[in-house]
Structures are given as structure tokens and as C-alpha cells.
Amino acid sequence: MMRLSHFDFLAPATIEEAVGLLQSKGADARLMAGGTDLLMKIKLGAIKPGFIISLKKIGGLDQISFDPTTGLTIGATALLADVADHPDILKHYPTVAQAARGTANVQVRNMGTVIGNLCNASPASDNAPTLLAMEAVLHIAGPEGKRKLPLDQFFKGPGMTALKPSEIVTAVGVPVLPPNAGTAYISLSARGKLDCTAVGAAVMVTMSGDVCKDIRLFVASCGPTPLRAVKAEEIIRGKQISDDLLAQAGSQASQESRPITDLRASGEYRTKMISVLTERVITEASKKARG
């Protein structure tokens, strides 16, 4: 059985203390929110940090809150399981709850966090596409103070983010959805929800009757980051949704994606499924928006 490499475990009580530890320990330190991704990387020998800085003892980071004027805030150590079952999320952001509930298995959801999943920067993240579609914003603290960053500016490549040295994501905020908006997320994986997403699609549409006023469509596991299918959006935006239009949008989303063949799926399969999932999520979201 493979064992974890040796490291020192640090548990700061404040964000300021955590930032200071990141500064003093430098590249030899790693942050831990839930630890599901981090500990697996250490176990596999992918990384060998000398220090792990846990965020668990920092008060308030596990909070989930909703305000009808400003929207939803999910703290850095809020568990996936709590996000999946939170009454305000189930009522106002059911697709966020669905994505959290669809992440891995019960054991991972009871330990892992939405923020950790985002900061892992995997193209196969279940939580990123939905939050991207809803125009989520990250709350970040660092040596230079606090800042906010739109989630669609965060991902730079597999395992790569826009975080500056010694910065920490403290929460993710999701705005109140526009009137007559609907969201949807569908993912497929080789072994059900026990495996990483092989292909996925998430969307937010805003409707005016049968006409789509606006749309944000994101594709998962088909590029180095979650990809926005901008040209597919243009096919739908401002038009009455029809079967023919959905087929065109699905085909265009496939063309905009950059799938590869790996252990989870072939590039050909991903290309075909993106077209199918695009049609399905737009159909589902538009029904929710009208209903």
C-alpha cells in the first residue's frame, strides 16, 4: 500500500495567518480545504509538499448563505454534501445542488468542498460548468488584500489557476438569477458517478416566452479548461428555440470543443456526446425558465 510522504500539518485560525504561512513556506506548502484531491496527489507521489496548511479551523469559512438581493455565497470549507442538501440552494440554485450531489461518492462529498474542487482546476470538474454558466465570482484573500475574480477568468489550464502567490480563495459567490432564467447540467462518466466526468454540459438561459434572450453554455472535459461555447450560444440567442436550432447549436458546440482520447472516453465519443448534451441542457433549462 502506498503511503503518504512526510509533511508538517499547520492549522491557522485566521485567513491572515494562513496567508502569512503561505508566504513564509513558499512553494513547499499546499493549502487544504477538504483534502480529497490533495491527499490523493500526495499518495500517488504527484506532489511532495513539506507543509500542508489546513483551512478547517478558520471561523466562518464553512458558511453557506443566501441573500435575495446579492445571491449565494459558499465558503471555502463548506462541504459538497452540505451544498447538495442546503435548503436555500435547493430552492434558488437547484443545479448547483445537483452538481455537488453528482460529485464522486458519499465519502468524498462528506469530506470534499466546492472551492477545493474548483481550485484543483480539473477540466472534468462537476461544479465548475454550472457555476460558470451562472456567472459566479470568487472571493480571494492574499498579501495585497482582498479581491474578486469572475470564475470565467480563473482557469488557465489543467491544475493551473489565476491565483497569485500566497492567495487563498475564501468563497464563491453566485448572483441572483435573472428573471425567467433556467439552468441545467448533465454529465456522463464511464462508471456512473464514481468516476470523473467524461463529458458534460451546463447552461443558463433567460427566456422571453419562447425566445431565448440570453444564454451561457459551458462544456466540461473537452479541453484544458471548462470551455464556453460562444458560437453555439450565438445560434440560440435572440431566437425562438426549435429542434432545428438545437441541432445546429449542438453541432457547433462539438466543433468548439477540443476533446482528447484518454482512459475515460475517446475523443470521438466526447464529440458526439457534446452535441447531444448541448441539446438536452438547453431544452431542460428553457423549460425551467418558462415554468
Side-chain angles (χ1 to χ4, degrees), residues 35-277:
T36 53
D37 291 314
L38 176 66
L39 294 177
M40 182 57 66
K41 289 179 180 179
I42 296 174
K43 186 175 182 179
L44 294 174
I47 57 173
K48 295 182 179 180
F51 303 89
I52 288 184
I53 303 171
S54 172
L55 302 179
K56 284 290 188 179
K57 286 191 176 181
I58 300 177
L61 287 190
D62 61 345
Q63 296 299 303
I64 300 170
S65 61
F66 172 72
D67 183 283
T69 57
T70 59
L72 172 68
T73 302
I74 301 172
T77 59
L79 300 177
L80 286 159
D82 293 336
V83 172
D85 294 334
H86 196 278
D88 284 330
I89 298 179
L90 289 167
K91 180 178 180 180
H92 301 288
Y93 304 89
T95 311
V96 172
Q98 174 199 341
R101 192 180 306 111
T103 304
N105 53 39
V106 172
Q107 290 85 352
V108 169
R109 293 194 293 274
N110 284 332
M111 183 177 175
T113 66
V114 169
I115 297 299
N117 188 247
L118 295 177
C119 290
N120 192 43
S122 167
S125 167
D126 277 300
N127 298 278
T130 297
L131 293 169
L132 285 163
M134 296 183 186
E135 300 186 86
V137 174
L138 296 177
H139 299 245
I140 298 170
E144 299 176 4
K146 298 179 180 179
R147 67 183 179 113
K148 294 182 180 180
L149 181 71
L151 186 59
D152 59 12
Q153 298 176 24
F154 183 65
F155 302 108
K156 298 301 181 183
M160 301 169 59
T161 72
L163 283 177
K164 299 176 183 177
S166 303
E167 282 193 325
I168 299 171
V169 178
T170 58
V172 60
V174 189
V176 175
L177 299 189
N180 303 312
T183 61
Y185 173 60
I186 302 176
S187 66
L188 301 172
S189 57
R191 298 184 298 155
K193 294 303 177 183
L194 294 178
D195 206 357
C196 292
T197 296
V199 59
V203 72
M204 180 172 73
V205 298
T206 305
M207 301 295 293
S208 177
D210 291 332
V211 175
C212 175
K213 290 176 59 180
D214 200 11
I215 178 172
R216 289 173 61 88
L217 173 66
F218 286 84
V219 173
S221 290
C222 287
T225 66
L227 298 176
R228 186 173 183 181
V230 177
K231 293 181 180 179
E233 292 176 353
E234 293 172 356
I235 291 172
I236 298 291
R237 187 179 290 111
K239 302 182 183 69
Q240 184 171 330
I241 296 177
S242 65
D243 290 344
D244 180 61
L245 214 60
L246 288 169
Q248 291 181 44
S251 176
Q252 180 58 51
S254 290
Q255 294 176 44
E256 290 183 73
S257 63
R258 290 181 280 165
I260 62 171
T261 295
D262 59 20
L263 293 174
R264 296 196 299 274
S266 68
E268 182 181 7
Y269 171 81
R270 286 184 163 111
T271 298
K272 291 180 179 179
M273 287 301 102
I274 280 301
S275 180
V276 173
L277 295 188

